[in-house]
Amino acid sequence: MFTLLAAGCAKETPPPPAAVSETPAYAPLSEREARGLVAQLSVKAQNLGSWTALRPGIEANLRYIRTRSRDAVCVRRPGLVLTWGQLYDSVSELASMLDQLDHAPNLLAERFSWFKLEPGTLLTGYYEPWLKASLTQDKDYKYPLYGVPGDLKVADLGQFHPRWAGQKLIYRVDGDRIEPYYDRSAIDGLGALEGGGDEIAWAADPVDVFFLQIQGSGRLDLPDGTYKHILYGGKNGRQYVSIGRVLIDKGFVPKEEMSMQRIRKFLNENPDVARDILFRNPSYVFFRLADEGPFGSINAILTPRVSVAVDRSMIPLGSVVALQTALMDYETGGSEPFFSLVLAQDTGGAIQGTRMDLFCGTGEEAEHLAGHLQEGAVVYMPLSKRVLATLPGDSQ
């Protein structure tokens, strides 16, 4: 997925930019500015032939928004307050226009007002890795991939006191005590889960297992030529420690060379220290097998270069936003402009504030893009003018 410099939930990503004093806000653009932006929009950088290709993803967003209370607020930021009902009506209107956008993209400026999310953001990427694996253990496939262990317990701390609302405790029971759940060194080094029956597959390469945990989901390339999706199931609740940061601090890899590919290269070339380096990260991810995937936080299959992970307090899940940035060209090694509509369908523990994560797809090109993607970006939210007419005067 990404360069490995910070903590995540289902995925681990680089840290956000240095903190700034500016409070994130939505700034309305003039219709002239909106027209100028709309003229630059294109789906070509998303490898799509038509705006109508966004329809399945937008319909998934609408299904998610329908699960929320229409009157509840989904955005409360300087410059914009929006309810789930208003977001639904705006996204629905956009969906109804898709058939017209190929020949009349200006409709996005005529019928929608545009809000710029300020300040700008850091864009990173993630992808769906493939790894050689088997559903049975043998001499070639001996590194276990675990489902959520039966003895892993989760407590909702908000039930104990309001100040802990939204927080969870992950633990195990040892006699009459509760203990933190086993860390990476206990699981992979001491075999804490061996014999428990929680193995769901076995991999050929322990480094592949680690990177699968970083991405949160992937595909198992099975010996018979078939494959299985392997999806995020849960975590052990331990704090994430950046392997990239460890390698930099120890002088193994220069900061300017840091990327996912560079980390993998170091671990493969230095097996004598790789195990201890990996154990510096106590966080551990558990999985489940599936026939479809990968899925985002709204329980919809992610679409390459269309699905993004967001901070839901900044950009509500289910939103359609415009992302303006540059992406690495796999063939030339240069960059190409990217300005298109993307769908807020996922989240991640390191995705905070205006920070955004682009799902890059699967395969070598996607891995290369995600591993190097750390670009400045600008995010815009187009909202139906008809819907905005229903907002309180101080919300615009």
Side-chain angles (χ1 to χ4, degrees):
M1 170 178 176
F2 341 67
T3 53
L4 311 171
L5 299 178
C9 185
K11 350 178 189 358
E12 315 292 2
T13 63
V20 294
S21 59
E22 186 177 356
T23 300
Y26 283 92
L29 303 184
S30 68
E31 185 165 333
R32 180 179 178 181
E33 291 172 315
R35 287 182 180 277
L37 289 172
V38 166
Q40 302 173 52
L41 284 171
S42 173
V43 295
K44 290 182 179 179
Q46 296 170 295
N47 300 321
L48 302 178
S50 168
W51 288 103
T52 58
L54 294 173
R55 188 180 305 283
I58 292 179
E59 290 176 347
N61 281 25
L62 289 170
R63 287 194 295 272
Y64 173 79
I65 298 172
R66 280 199 298 269
T67 67
R68 320 305 292 176
S69 170
R70 279 189 62 88
D71 295 330
V73 172
C74 62
V75 174
R76 189 184 299 277
R77 292 286 168 182
L80 183 64
V81 177
L82 195 69
T83 67
W84 286 105
Q86 291 159 338
L87 179 64
Y88 179 86
D89 293 341
S90 185
V91 175
S92 293
E93 184 170 341
L94 193 155
S96 72
M97 296 164 46
L98 290 176
D99 291 335
Q100 306 171 65
L101 292 184
D102 287 326
H103 63 271
N106 57 298
L107 289 174
L108 285 171
E110 292 177 7
R111 293 170 56 177
F112 284 74
S113 292
W114 284 60
F115 292 78
K116 182 180 181 181
L117 184 56
E118 297 179 334
T121 188
L122 171 70
L123 177 71
T124 50
Y126 62 113
Y127 76 108
E128 184 188 35
W130 285 69
L131 64 160
K132 294 287 186 180
S134 173
L135 301 183
T136 57
Q137 184 181 22
D138 62 27
K139 63 181 180 61
D140 295 319
Y141 301 97
K142 55 187 178 182
Y143 301 101
L145 293 159
Y146 291 105
V148 178
D151 63 345
L152 184 147
K153 309 296 181 183
V154 181
D156 180 356
L157 295 182
Q159 295 182 348
F160 295 87
H161 197 286
R163 69 170 174 265
W164 296 328
Q167 299 184 51
K168 294 181 179 180
L169 178 68
I170 299 175
Y171 65 97
R172 61 186 177 89
V173 177
D174 183 4
D176 59 354
R177 301 179 303 169
I178 64 171
E179 299 282 352
Y181 203 74
Y182 299 114
D183 64 9
R184 182 176 301 276
S185 63
I187 295 172
D188 286 343
L190 302 177
L193 299 184
E194 285 184 7
D198 297 308
E199 300 89 346
I200 58 174
W202 283 263
D205 184 345
V207 175
D208 283 347
V209 174
F210 180 78
F211 278 94
L212 175 67
Q213 294 193 5
I214 298 299
Q215 299 307 310
S217 64
R219 295 192 199 188
L220 304 183
D221 185 2
L222 302 175
D224 64 0
T226 63
Y227 70 85
K228 275 276 192 183
H229 288 278
I230 185 163
L231 308 180
Y232 175 82
K235 293 184 70 172
N236 66 345
R238 298 296 189 116
Q239 182 178 3
Y240 178 82
V241 172
S242 162
I243 297 306
R245 177 57 57 191
V246 171
L247 294 177
I248 291 171
D249 291 345
K250 286 184 169 292
F252 290 133
V253 178
K255 182 178 180 180
E256 60 272 17
E257 294 183 11
M258 184 52 61
S259 70
M260 180 186 66
Q261 286 79 7
R262 187 66 177 84
I263 294 172
R264 181 185 286 276
K265 183 174 185 291
F266 176 86
L267 295 175
N268 286 334
E269 292 178 353
N270 298 274
D272 53 326
V273 298
R275 184 179 173 93
D276 289 337
I277 292 292
L278 293 180
F279 286 172
R280 291 288 297 273
N281 175 25
S283 176
Y284 206 90
V285 174
F286 305 110
F287 299 97
R288 60 186 176 90
L289 296 178
D291 293 324
E292 294 183 302
F295 289 86
S297 299
I298 68 169
N299 199 32
I301 294 178
L302 300 174
T303 304
R305 299 193 176 204
V306 172
S307 301
V308 293
V310 299
D311 178 344
R312 67 179 76 199
S313 71
M314 190 70 56
I315 299 173
L317 285 171
S319 298
V320 179
V321 296
L323 173 65
Q324 187 173 36
T325 188
L327 300 182
M328 177 180 290
D329 186 303
Y330 181 71
E331 298 293 335
T332 68
S335 62
E336 58 181 4
F338 181 100
F339 189 31
S340 193
L341 299 180
V342 294
L343 310 182
Q345 297 185 322
D346 208 359
T347 57
I351 311 305
Q352 298 177 6
T354 61
R355 168 78 177 282
M356 184 175 285
D357 227 11
L358 178 69
F359 177 63
C360 297
T362 190
E364 184 177 341
E365 181 175 350
E367 179 179 0
H368 188 75
L369 174 59
H372 291 87
L373 184 53
Q374 292 193 69
E375 285 287 338
V378 182
V379 177
Y380 303 90
M381 181 178 287
L383 292 170
S384 162
K385 292 179 177 179
R386 175 181 58 81
V387 169
L388 289 177
T390 70
L391 297 181
D394 61 356
S395 297
Q396 302 180 49

